[in-house]
Amino acid sequence: MSNVKFYKGGDIPLELHKVRVVQKLHLVPIERRLLATKEAGYNTFRLSTKDVFLDMLTDSGTNAMSDNQIAAMFQADDAYAGSQSFDRYQKAVEDVLGKKISFTGSPGTCG
């Protein structure tokens, strides 16, 4: 186990792997991470993945998927229309927004 040092000096213990199935991680020293951030002009899109310990910016696969994400893929209904996965999605959107909604028309549109 290793510690991540925050810029204000605090430490937080972290396991040095994430579930991919298992991928070894290399925690770059804080000095290098701060320098990389400065060299990137404080633009996280310009950071190299070798200087990033945990990528919470993208969904492009630079990090491993969680066990819940992998399980959801196995449970997904891949039907184009009328899928149970879509019904679960619609219910989640309604739960978050607090009101009944309907998706109509072509894919990608809602009304």
Side-chain angles (χ1 to χ4, degrees), residues 15-93:
E15 296 287 338
L16 290 179
H17 65 276
K18 53 188 169 185
V19 177
R20 170 172 265 155
V21 171
V22 174
Q23 175 185 357
K24 178 78 169 142
L25 295 179
H26 303 282
L27 180 57
V28 178
I30 190 168
E31 295 80 14
R32 173 61 201 146
R33 287 182 280 142
L34 289 171
L35 180 60
T37 303
K38 184 176 180 179
E39 289 172 346
Y42 301 95
N43 180 346
T44 54
F45 286 96
R46 295 183 63 210
L47 285 172
S48 169
T49 55
K50 67 180 172 53
D51 293 319
V52 175
F53 178 69
L54 179 61
D55 181 359
M56 296 181 73
L57 174 66
T58 66
D59 62 357
S60 60
T62 56
N63 279 327
M65 292 182 5
S66 72
D67 56 348
N68 289 333
Q69 290 170 314
I70 293 169
M73 282 185 0
F74 287 123
Q75 295 172 1
D77 176 358
D78 294 330
Y80 181 74
S83 77
Q84 294 171 22
S85 299
F86 181 81
D87 294 340
R88 287 192 303 272
Y89 167 72
Q90 184 173 7
K91 181 181 179 328
V93 171

